Each structure stands twice: as structure tokens, then as C-alpha cells.
Amino acid sequence: MSLYSVASHVTGVLAQALPPAHTGTPEAHISQGSPKPDWPSPVMDEENHSFFLADVLEYRPKFGGNGSDDDYRWDIEGWYGGDYNRIWFKSEGQRDTAFKADYDIDSQLLFGHFIQQYYDFQVGGRVETQSYRGRNVTRGLAVIGLQGLVPYNYELQPALFISQHGDLSARLTATKDLSLTQRLILQPRFETNAAIQRVRKFTTGSGLNNLELGFRLRYEIRREFAPYVGISLDKSFGDTASLVRQEGGNPSQIRFVVGIRAWF
């Protein structure tokens, strides 16, 4: 058998084994069984949604020491938008009568853009207000940050801040949920701040400013609502600790906390 005859024989066998070629028309494609004519229309998932999370909303009773006022703290955030672009709102603050300031309130309004799976790039503005013994100070800052979920389900929020006077500072927040049972969740939480310049009126020194390490054990009555108890260690370092002492504060505290975590 010649080479041409062999090629013709193989071509004929393949033509019988393979399905007919697609003609390119929808009718022809449907007639081949994919997709089925009674299938629903494709989902157009390009709508905007909103989300709100009160990750920390807690009361901090005071045991012993000077003063009798109890303190509280919150850390909430939310967003509105789609899969690629979102408007973020974040608010973090506390009333702490023995630490850095009587009140320390931090609000951010950010634009977030999806850069890859689990990661948003964020840019926007921040307003920080502190109150100590009736004296209020406020400053505005630009924010550049990331928010994402790294391997092993650690949620990270690194951010860089530039104040209206050119002062440069940074913050890193990390949390992780450890499921002890279906409803009992232990959340370790780590937050630290650092600054390049010393800003005395905000009780901020140069270098590593402070560290907060907390453990909060919550019981999820519903996934969206969970009361918790926990313990939080707050400690200032170096130049910032010296400024806190000069203001009459305590640069190191261990606090018992009780609060509610909620989202919708």
C-alpha cells in the first residue's frame, strides 16, 4: 500500500470516529447538545453590594489603679461596590483613661481596587483626633494600603500614612479566626504602629510606637452575631513610651474585654 493510500485510509477512519464539525451557527451548536435550549440565561453578576463589619465593639472594665472610669473600644469597617472597585469606610477608636489619650478616634474613607484574588489596593484619606485632659488635636493624612487574605487565612491590613505636614507613619493589623467548634471561635489579633518623625502633640515618637496583642473568644449565636470575651495587651515602646509617661499615662496595660462582633 502506498503512502497516499495509507493517509486516505487514516483520514476516513478519523472522519467516522469524530463528531461532525461545528458550523458556527447557534442553531447548529444547540443541535449538538451544548448548551441545552432550556438552560437559564447566564448570571449577570455585576451589581453593587454593601458590607458592614464591627470586628471589635467592646467594653473594658477597669480594675484598681487611679480613676474609676471604665473604657471602651471599637474597630469597624464597611464597603460599597462591586467585584473590582469599592468605597471603603473604616473607623477605629477608643476611650482609654490610662493610656495614650482619653479619646483616640481614627476615620478613613478609601477607594479600593481589586488587584488579584483576595487582595484590594486602597488609597484615600484619614482623619485622626485625640483628646487628652480637655485638649483636642486633629490632623489629616493620606492613606496608601492593602487589604487581603494570605495563605493559612491570616487577614492583613498594612497601610502607609502621610500627614498634612509630611510626617510619615505606618500600621500593620493582622487577625486570624481559629475554629475551636462550629460556633466557638478564637481570634488572635495583632496591631502595631511605627513613625519616622516625632510628633509630640499626638504623643507619637520616632521608631516603633506601640503593639497590641489580643485574644478574643466569641460564640456565634448566628454567623452574623457573636458576643465575646478576651484579653488585650497594649504596650508602647521607646520614644512613644517616654511621651506617654510625660503625659501621665501608663505605657503598658493588660485589659479584660467583653464585646460583640457583628456583620451584615
Side-chain angles (χ1 to χ4, degrees), residues 19-73:
H22 188 309
T23 61
T25 64
E27 293 77 6
H29 191 55
I30 291 173
S31 67
Q32 294 169 27
S34 179
K36 295 182 178 179
D38 57 346
W39 281 14
S41 301
V43 176
M44 305 302 291
D45 189 17
E46 296 181 356
E47 297 182 357
N48 292 330
H49 301 277
S50 60
F51 178 75
F52 173 86
L53 168 65
D55 198 30
V56 173
L57 190 62
E58 65 192 24
Y59 171 70
R60 298 179 163 194
K62 184 177 293 181
F63 301 101
N66 297 326
S68 58
D69 294 333
D70 297 329
D71 298 328
Y72 47 82
R73 182 186 174 185

Side-chain angles (χ1 to χ4, degrees), residues 3 23 34 67 81 93 95 104 111 120 151 184 224 239 261:
L3 182 61
T23 61
S34 179
R95 179 178 188 268
D104 189 347
F111 170 76
D120 261 19
L184 201 59
E224 302 88 346
D239 194 22
R261 184 180 189 270

